[in-house]
Amino acid sequence: MASLPWELKCPKVIGIRLTGKLSGWTSAKDVILKVSEILTVKGGTGAIIEYFGPGVDSISATGMGTICNMGAEVGATTSVFPYNESMRDYLEIIDLDLDTLVPHVNGPYTPDLAWPIDKFGENAKKNGWPQDIKVALIGSCTNSSYEDMTRAASIAKQALDKGMKAKTSFLVTPGSEQVRATIERDGLTKIFEDFGGTVLANACGPCIGRRTSPSGECTVLILDLLGEEEGLYPVRNHLTDTFGTVPETARYYKAHGKYWVVIGDENYGEGSSREHAALEPRHLGGRAIITKSFARIHETNLKKQGMLPLTFEDPADYDKIDSGDKVSIVGLKEFAPGKPLKAVIKKPDGSKVEISLNHTFNEQQIEWFKAGSALNRMKQKIALK
Protein backbone atom coordinates (compact mmCIF):
# COMPACT_ATOMS: atom_id res chain seq x y z
CA MET A 1 0.00 0.00 0.00
CA ALA A 2 2.89 2.36 0.77
CA SER A 3 4.66 1.40 -2.48
CA LEU A 4 7.94 0.97 -0.59
CA PRO A 5 10.07 -2.19 -0.23
CA TRP A 6 10.54 -3.76 3.20
CA GLU A 7 14.00 -4.72 4.44
CA LEU A 8 14.99 -6.86 7.41
CA LYS A 9 18.37 -8.26 8.42
CA CYS A 10 18.57 -12.04 8.71
CA PRO A 11 18.51 -12.66 12.49
CA LYS A 12 20.36 -15.21 14.58
CA VAL A 13 18.35 -17.64 16.74
CA ILE A 14 18.44 -18.08 20.53
CA GLY A 15 16.64 -21.08 22.01
CA ILE A 16 15.19 -21.15 25.53
CA ARG A 17 14.30 -24.60 26.86
CA LEU A 18 11.49 -24.64 29.41
CA THR A 19 11.27 -27.57 31.83
CA GLY A 20 8.94 -28.23 34.73
CA LYS A 21 5.62 -26.42 35.22
CA LEU A 22 4.45 -23.00 36.31
CA SER A 23 2.92 -23.16 39.78
CA GLY A 24 1.37 -20.95 42.42
CA TRP A 25 1.52 -17.25 41.63
CA THR A 26 4.32 -17.71 39.10
CA SER A 27 3.12 -16.55 35.69
CA ALA A 28 4.32 -16.35 32.11
CA LYS A 29 5.67 -12.86 32.79
CA ASP A 30 8.10 -14.34 35.30
CA VAL A 31 9.59 -16.40 32.46
CA ILE A 32 10.49 -13.35 30.40
CA LEU A 33 11.55 -11.38 33.48
CA LYS A 34 14.05 -14.12 34.28
CA VAL A 35 15.16 -14.29 30.65
CA SER A 36 15.76 -10.53 30.79
CA GLU A 37 18.16 -11.07 33.66
CA ILE A 38 20.02 -13.81 31.77
CA LEU A 39 20.27 -12.14 28.36
CA THR A 40 20.34 -8.48 29.54
CA VAL A 41 18.58 -5.71 27.64
CA LYS A 42 20.76 -6.11 24.57
CA GLY A 43 21.38 -9.87 24.61
CA GLY A 44 18.56 -10.54 22.17
CA THR A 45 19.38 -7.75 19.74
CA GLY A 46 19.14 -8.95 16.16
CA ALA A 47 17.86 -12.37 17.22
CA ILE A 48 14.72 -14.49 17.16
CA ILE A 49 14.06 -16.13 20.54
CA GLU A 50 12.50 -19.57 20.25
CA TYR A 51 10.95 -21.25 23.30
CA PHE A 52 10.65 -25.03 23.45
CA GLY A 53 10.61 -28.00 25.80
CA PRO A 54 8.07 -29.76 28.04
CA GLY A 55 7.50 -26.64 30.13
CA VAL A 56 5.75 -24.97 27.20
CA ASP A 57 2.64 -27.04 27.92
CA SER A 58 2.07 -25.30 31.27
CA ILE A 59 1.84 -21.84 29.67
CA SER A 60 -1.44 -20.49 28.32
CA ALA A 61 -1.82 -19.02 24.84
CA THR A 62 -2.04 -15.50 26.26
CA GLY A 63 0.97 -16.24 28.43
CA MET A 64 2.97 -17.20 25.36
CA GLY A 65 1.81 -13.97 23.73
CA THR A 66 3.03 -12.04 26.76
CA ILE A 67 6.46 -13.67 26.62
CA CYS A 68 6.79 -12.99 22.89
CA ASN A 69 5.63 -9.40 23.27
CA MET A 70 8.12 -8.67 26.03
CA GLY A 71 10.96 -10.03 23.91
CA ALA A 72 11.44 -6.39 22.92
CA GLU A 73 12.81 -5.78 26.42
CA VAL A 74 15.89 -7.85 25.55
CA GLY A 75 16.13 -6.42 22.02
CA ALA A 76 14.73 -9.48 20.22
CA THR A 77 13.44 -9.16 16.67
CA THR A 78 10.65 -11.57 17.58
CA SER A 79 9.94 -14.59 19.80
CA VAL A 80 8.16 -17.79 18.85
CA PHE A 81 6.51 -20.93 20.27
CA PRO A 82 6.77 -23.93 20.00
CA TYR A 83 10.09 -25.64 19.36
CA ASN A 84 11.05 -27.59 16.23
CA GLU A 85 13.48 -30.41 17.04
CA SER A 86 15.37 -29.95 13.77
CA MET A 87 16.63 -26.60 15.06
CA ARG A 88 18.46 -28.09 18.05
CA ASP A 89 21.77 -28.34 16.16
CA TYR A 90 22.28 -24.62 15.75
CA LEU A 91 20.34 -23.04 18.60
CA GLU A 92 21.99 -21.30 21.52
CA ILE A 93 20.32 -23.08 24.44
CA ILE A 94 19.28 -21.59 27.77
CA ASP A 95 17.79 -23.95 30.36
CA LEU A 96 15.02 -22.57 32.55
CA ASP A 97 13.43 -24.84 35.16
CA LEU A 98 9.81 -23.79 35.69
CA ASP A 99 9.62 -25.95 38.84
CA THR A 100 12.03 -23.59 40.61
CA LEU A 101 10.96 -20.32 38.96
CA VAL A 102 9.37 -17.84 41.37
CA PRO A 103 7.60 -14.51 40.77
CA HIS A 104 10.08 -11.79 39.83
CA VAL A 105 10.36 -8.01 39.89
CA ASN A 106 12.77 -6.46 37.40
CA GLY A 107 14.51 -3.13 37.88
CA PRO A 108 14.96 -0.43 38.82
CA TYR A 109 16.44 1.48 35.87
CA THR A 110 16.91 -1.52 33.57
CA PRO A 111 14.70 -4.54 32.77
CA ASP A 112 17.56 -7.06 32.96
CA LEU A 113 17.97 -6.50 36.71
CA ALA A 114 15.76 -9.38 37.89
CA TRP A 115 14.92 -10.11 41.53
CA PRO A 116 12.85 -12.88 43.10
CA ILE A 117 10.01 -10.93 44.66
CA ASP A 118 10.95 -12.00 48.20
CA LYS A 119 14.47 -10.60 47.68
CA PHE A 120 13.53 -7.27 46.14
CA GLY A 121 12.95 -5.37 49.38
CA GLU A 122 16.24 -6.31 51.00
CA ASN A 123 18.17 -5.52 47.81
CA ALA A 124 16.43 -2.15 47.51
CA LYS A 125 17.68 -1.30 51.01
CA LYS A 126 21.13 -2.71 50.30
CA ASN A 127 21.54 -0.65 47.12
CA GLY A 128 20.00 2.53 48.47
CA TRP A 129 17.05 2.48 46.06
CA PRO A 130 13.81 4.33 46.86
CA GLN A 131 11.73 2.42 49.40
CA ASP A 132 8.34 3.88 48.49
CA ILE A 133 6.30 2.99 45.41
CA LYS A 134 5.02 6.26 43.97
CA VAL A 135 2.79 4.97 41.18
CA ALA A 136 1.91 1.60 39.68
CA LEU A 137 0.52 0.28 36.41
CA ILE A 138 -1.48 -2.86 35.75
CA GLY A 139 -1.71 -3.40 32.04
CA SER A 140 0.21 -2.22 28.98
CA CYS A 141 0.69 -4.58 26.05
CA THR A 142 2.44 -7.22 28.17
CA ASN A 143 0.33 -7.33 31.31
CA SER A 144 -3.19 -6.71 30.12
CA SER A 145 -4.90 -9.94 29.09
CA TYR A 146 -8.01 -11.13 30.89
CA GLU A 147 -5.83 -13.67 32.70
CA ASP A 148 -3.56 -10.85 33.94
CA MET A 149 -6.53 -8.80 35.07
CA THR A 150 -8.09 -11.64 37.04
CA ARG A 151 -4.84 -12.33 38.89
CA ALA A 152 -4.41 -8.66 39.83
CA ALA A 153 -8.07 -8.31 40.79
CA SER A 154 -7.80 -11.40 42.99
CA ILE A 155 -5.05 -9.77 45.05
CA ALA A 156 -6.99 -6.49 45.22
CA LYS A 157 -10.12 -8.35 46.36
CA GLN A 158 -8.21 -10.15 49.12
CA ALA A 159 -6.92 -6.78 50.35
CA LEU A 160 -10.38 -5.21 50.22
CA ASP A 161 -11.82 -8.10 52.21
CA LYS A 162 -9.31 -7.27 54.95
CA GLY A 163 -10.26 -3.59 54.90
CA MET A 164 -7.18 -2.40 53.03
CA LYS A 165 -6.81 -0.06 50.06
CA ALA A 166 -3.89 0.91 47.84
CA LYS A 167 -1.51 3.41 49.44
CA THR A 168 -0.32 4.66 46.07
CA SER A 169 -2.12 5.63 42.90
CA PHE A 170 -2.25 3.01 40.18
CA LEU A 171 -3.60 2.77 36.65
CA VAL A 172 -5.20 -0.16 34.86
CA THR A 173 -5.01 -0.42 31.06
CA PRO A 174 -6.87 -3.38 29.50
CA GLY A 175 -5.19 -4.97 26.50
CA SER A 176 -8.15 -4.61 24.16
CA GLU A 177 -11.71 -3.36 24.03
CA GLN A 178 -12.86 -6.94 24.54
CA VAL A 179 -10.78 -7.26 27.70
CA ARG A 180 -12.07 -3.89 28.94
CA ALA A 181 -15.68 -4.88 28.36
CA THR A 182 -15.17 -8.30 29.92
CA ILE A 183 -13.56 -7.05 33.13
CA GLU A 184 -16.38 -4.54 33.47
CA ARG A 185 -18.97 -7.27 32.91
CA ASP A 186 -17.34 -9.57 35.46
CA GLY A 187 -16.94 -6.93 38.16
CA LEU A 188 -13.16 -6.62 37.98
CA THR A 189 -13.32 -2.94 37.07
CA LYS A 190 -15.27 -2.21 40.25
CA ILE A 191 -12.73 -4.15 42.32
CA PHE A 192 -9.86 -2.10 40.90
CA GLU A 193 -11.72 1.17 41.43
CA ASP A 194 -12.79 0.25 44.96
CA PHE A 195 -9.18 -0.58 45.72
CA GLY A 196 -8.12 2.91 44.58
CA GLY A 197 -7.20 2.41 40.93
CA THR A 198 -8.16 4.21 37.74
CA VAL A 199 -9.20 2.05 34.79
CA LEU A 200 -8.18 3.64 31.48
CA ALA A 201 -9.19 2.93 27.91
CA ASN A 202 -7.21 0.25 26.12
CA ALA A 203 -4.27 2.14 24.61
CA CYS A 204 -0.50 2.52 24.93
CA GLY A 205 -1.17 5.32 27.39
CA PRO A 206 1.49 5.34 30.13
CA CYS A 207 4.01 3.53 27.94
CA ILE A 208 4.24 6.26 25.31
CA GLY A 209 7.48 8.21 25.11
CA ARG A 210 10.74 8.04 27.06
CA ARG A 211 13.48 10.31 28.30
CA THR A 212 15.66 12.00 25.68
CA SER A 213 18.81 13.99 26.29
CA PRO A 214 19.11 16.92 23.90
CA SER A 215 21.98 19.27 23.45
CA GLY A 216 22.96 22.33 21.59
CA GLU A 217 23.33 23.89 18.19
CA CYS A 218 23.39 22.47 14.73
CA THR A 219 26.50 21.60 15.48
CA VAL A 220 25.53 20.71 18.93
CA LEU A 221 25.93 21.82 22.52
CA ILE A 222 26.46 18.91 24.92
CA LEU A 223 24.09 18.61 27.85
CA ASP A 224 24.88 18.61 31.56
CA LEU A 225 22.89 16.22 33.74
CA LEU A 226 22.52 17.27 37.37
CA GLY A 227 21.16 14.00 38.69
CA GLU A 228 17.80 12.93 40.04
CA GLU A 229 18.32 14.49 43.46
CA GLU A 230 18.24 17.93 41.83
CA GLY A 231 15.02 17.30 39.92
CA LEU A 232 13.75 15.19 37.03
CA TYR A 233 16.81 14.91 34.79
CA PRO A 234 17.50 18.66 34.42
CA VAL A 235 19.86 19.71 31.64
CA ARG A 236 21.85 22.86 31.03
CA ASN A 237 20.54 25.32 28.47
CA HIS A 238 23.79 26.51 26.92
CA LEU A 239 22.12 29.55 25.41
CA THR A 240 20.96 30.90 28.79
CA ASP A 241 23.33 29.02 31.12
CA THR A 242 20.35 27.88 33.18
CA PHE A 243 18.97 24.44 33.95
CA GLY A 244 15.58 23.08 32.95
CA THR A 245 13.79 19.90 32.00
CA VAL A 246 14.69 18.14 28.78
CA PRO A 247 11.48 19.18 26.94
CA GLU A 248 11.79 22.80 28.12
CA THR A 249 15.39 23.03 26.98
CA ALA A 250 14.69 21.38 23.63
CA ARG A 251 11.74 23.69 22.97
CA TYR A 252 13.88 26.72 23.78
CA TYR A 253 16.55 25.59 21.32
CA LYS A 254 13.91 24.97 18.66
CA ALA A 255 12.29 28.37 19.21
CA HIS A 256 15.69 30.02 18.73
CA GLY A 257 16.61 28.01 15.63
CA LYS A 258 19.25 25.89 17.33
CA TYR A 259 19.51 22.21 16.45
CA TRP A 260 20.78 19.58 18.87
CA VAL A 261 21.99 16.00 19.03
CA VAL A 262 22.10 13.33 21.72
CA ILE A 263 25.33 11.69 22.89
CA GLY A 264 24.49 8.24 24.29
CA ASP A 265 26.07 5.12 25.72
CA GLU A 266 25.39 1.42 25.01
CA ASN A 267 22.09 -0.02 23.73
CA TYR A 268 20.45 3.37 23.36
CA GLY A 269 16.66 3.10 23.07
CA GLU A 270 16.38 -0.26 24.82
CA GLY A 271 12.92 -1.70 25.39
CA SER A 272 9.84 -1.23 23.26
CA SER A 273 10.97 2.20 21.97
CA ARG A 274 7.70 3.15 20.39
CA GLU A 275 7.45 5.60 17.53
CA HIS A 276 6.96 8.50 19.94
CA ALA A 277 10.46 7.96 21.31
CA ALA A 278 11.87 8.92 17.89
CA LEU A 279 9.12 11.34 16.89
CA GLU A 280 9.53 13.58 19.94
CA PRO A 281 13.24 14.47 19.51
CA ARG A 282 12.62 14.97 15.78
CA HIS A 283 9.70 17.31 16.52
CA LEU A 284 11.74 19.26 19.07
CA GLY A 285 14.61 19.99 16.70
CA GLY A 286 16.87 16.97 17.17
CA ARG A 287 19.07 16.05 14.23
CA ALA A 288 21.25 13.11 15.28
CA ILE A 289 21.76 10.50 18.00
CA ILE A 290 25.41 9.48 18.46
CA THR A 291 25.95 6.44 20.69
CA LYS A 292 28.16 3.43 21.36
CA SER A 293 25.33 1.13 20.20
CA PHE A 294 21.58 1.09 19.53
CA ALA A 295 18.66 -1.15 20.30
CA ARG A 296 17.52 -2.33 16.87
CA ILE A 297 13.89 -1.19 16.98
CA HIS A 298 14.71 2.31 18.13
CA GLU A 299 17.47 2.71 15.56
CA THR A 300 14.99 1.91 12.78
CA ASN A 301 12.35 4.24 14.24
CA LEU A 302 14.87 7.08 14.32
CA LYS A 303 15.62 6.53 10.64
CA LYS A 304 11.92 6.60 9.80
CA GLN A 305 11.62 9.99 11.51
CA GLY A 306 14.47 11.48 9.51
CA MET A 307 16.95 11.38 12.39
CA LEU A 308 20.60 10.30 12.09
CA PRO A 309 21.38 7.34 14.38
CA LEU A 310 25.19 7.08 14.37
CA THR A 311 27.68 5.03 16.37
CA PHE A 312 31.25 5.76 17.42
CA GLU A 313 33.68 3.82 15.24
CA ASP A 314 35.89 3.78 18.34
CA PRO A 315 33.70 3.58 21.48
CA ALA A 316 36.47 5.36 23.41
CA ASP A 317 35.66 8.52 21.41
CA TYR A 318 32.58 8.88 23.62
CA ASP A 319 34.89 10.30 26.28
CA LYS A 320 36.26 12.94 23.90
CA ILE A 321 32.98 14.89 23.95
CA ASP A 322 32.34 17.19 26.90
CA SER A 323 29.75 19.64 28.13
CA GLY A 324 29.94 22.87 26.18
CA ASP A 325 31.32 21.27 23.00
CA LYS A 326 29.79 21.90 19.60
CA VAL A 327 29.53 19.05 17.11
CA SER A 328 29.40 19.30 13.33
CA ILE A 329 28.58 16.19 11.28
CA VAL A 330 30.58 16.16 8.05
CA GLY A 331 30.12 14.10 4.88
CA LEU A 332 26.35 14.15 4.42
CA LYS A 333 26.63 15.30 0.80
CA GLU A 334 28.36 11.99 0.07
CA PHE A 335 26.09 10.02 2.43
CA ALA A 336 26.16 6.39 1.23
CA PRO A 337 25.68 2.87 2.63
CA GLY A 338 28.76 1.59 4.41
CA LYS A 339 30.60 4.92 4.21
CA PRO A 340 31.40 6.43 7.63
CA LEU A 341 30.62 10.03 8.47
CA LYS A 342 32.85 12.37 10.43
CA ALA A 343 32.14 14.52 13.46
CA VAL A 344 34.19 17.62 14.19
CA ILE A 345 34.12 18.46 17.90
CA LYS A 346 34.80 22.13 18.63
CA LYS A 347 35.94 22.76 22.20
CA PRO A 348 35.17 25.96 24.15
CA ASP A 349 38.86 26.96 23.84
CA GLY A 350 38.65 26.76 20.03
CA SER A 351 40.52 23.47 19.61
CA LYS A 352 38.99 20.72 17.46
CA VAL A 353 38.80 16.94 17.62
CA GLU A 354 37.72 14.72 14.72
CA ILE A 355 36.06 11.34 15.22
CA SER A 356 34.65 8.75 12.80
CA LEU A 357 31.00 7.70 12.99
CA ASN A 358 29.46 4.54 11.57
CA HIS A 359 25.88 4.00 10.42
CA THR A 360 23.65 1.20 9.12
CA PHE A 361 21.65 3.18 6.54
CA ASN A 362 20.82 1.49 3.25
CA GLU A 363 19.88 3.35 0.05
CA GLN A 364 16.18 3.47 0.88
CA GLN A 365 16.81 4.78 4.39
CA ILE A 366 19.14 7.47 3.09
CA GLU A 367 16.22 8.61 0.92
CA TRP A 368 14.14 8.86 4.10
CA PHE A 369 16.78 11.07 5.70
CA LYS A 370 17.10 13.36 2.68
CA ALA A 371 13.31 13.73 2.50
CA GLY A 372 13.01 14.43 6.23
CA SER A 373 11.25 11.17 7.12
CA ALA A 374 9.91 7.94 5.64
CA LEU A 375 6.44 9.50 5.35
CA ASN A 376 7.84 12.47 3.47
CA ARG A 377 9.56 10.10 1.04
CA MET A 378 6.32 8.18 0.53
CA LYS A 379 4.56 11.46 -0.22
CA GLN A 380 7.22 12.37 -2.78
CA LYS A 381 6.90 9.03 -4.55
CA ILE A 382 3.12 9.21 -4.67
CA ALA A 383 3.32 12.73 -6.13
CA LEU A 384 5.51 11.44 -8.97
CA LYS A 385 2.98 8.83 -10.07
Side-chain angles (χ1 to χ4, degrees), residues 103-332:
H104 275 65
V105 174
N106 282 35
Y109 313 122
T110 175
D112 59 4
L113 195 58
W115 304 100
I117 197 166
D118 62 339
K119 303 293 184 184
F120 185 68
E122 64 182 74
N123 279 285
K125 294 177 181 178
K126 179 180 177 181
N127 290 283
W129 297 331
Q131 302 295 300
D132 297 326
I133 298 175
K134 300 296 185 183
V135 67
L137 170 66
I138 300 170
S140 83
C141 54
T142 57
N143 193 38
S144 57
S145 69
Y146 184 76
E147 178 183 0
D148 295 320
M149 294 293 161
T150 57
R151 292 167 70 95
S154 175
I155 296 176
K157 181 65 165 59
Q158 292 177 48
L160 285 170
D161 290 344
K162 295 183 180 296
M164 296 186 292
K165 286 195 173 184
K167 291 184 177 181
T168 185
S169 61
F170 71 93
L171 304 175
V172 180
T173 55
S176 67
E177 173 57 25
Q178 183 178 15
V179 173
R180 186 210 61 77
T182 305
I183 65 171
E184 183 174 353
R185 180 200 68 189
D186 294 348
L188 275 62
T189 297
K190 187 176 187 306
I191 292 175
F192 287 133
E193 292 175 342
D194 289 347
F195 190 54
T198 301
V199 180
L200 305 176
N202 55 293
C204 287
C207 292
I208 290 177
R210 66 168 174 71
R211 185 175 80 250
T212 57
S213 302
S215 33
E217 297 183 1
C218 154
T219 55
V220 59
L221 299 169
I222 307 305
L223 64 85
D224 277 341
L225 282 176
L226 282 179
E228 293 182 62
E229 68 279 359
E230 299 290 342
L232 183 59
Y233 306 109
V235 296
R236 172 176 283 137
N237 183 326
H238 288 275
L239 300 180
T240 63
D241 200 29
T242 59
F243 285 89
T245 65
V246 170
E248 289 171 347
T249 306
R251 289 190 181 99
Y252 188 92
Y253 286 157
K254 181 180 180 181
H256 290 77
K258 303 297 183 182
Y259 301 134
W260 50 266
V261 303
V262 172
I263 306 299
D265 209 305
E266 295 280 3
N267 206 40
Y268 184 91
E270 65 186 40
S272 300
S273 292
R274 303 173 192 281
E275 285 77 3
H276 294 75
L279 190 154
E280 289 171 7
R282 175 71 171 84
H283 172 68
L284 292 175
R287 287 298 182 266
I289 312 291
I290 304 173
T291 71
K292 293 181 181 179
S293 65
F294 283 97
R296 181 190 60 83
I297 295 175
H298 186 57
E299 182 182 20
T300 300
N301 285 343
L302 287 170
K303 293 176 182 178
K304 290 177 180 177
Q305 293 299 334
M307 296 283 287
L308 271 176
L310 306 170
T311 56
F312 295 101
E313 184 174 274
D314 180 0
D317 287 342
Y318 172 88
D319 297 316
K320 295 180 180 179
I321 305 177
D322 302 302
S323 176
D325 290 352
K326 295 182 180 180
V327 180
S328 296
I329 299 172
V330 181
L332 290 174

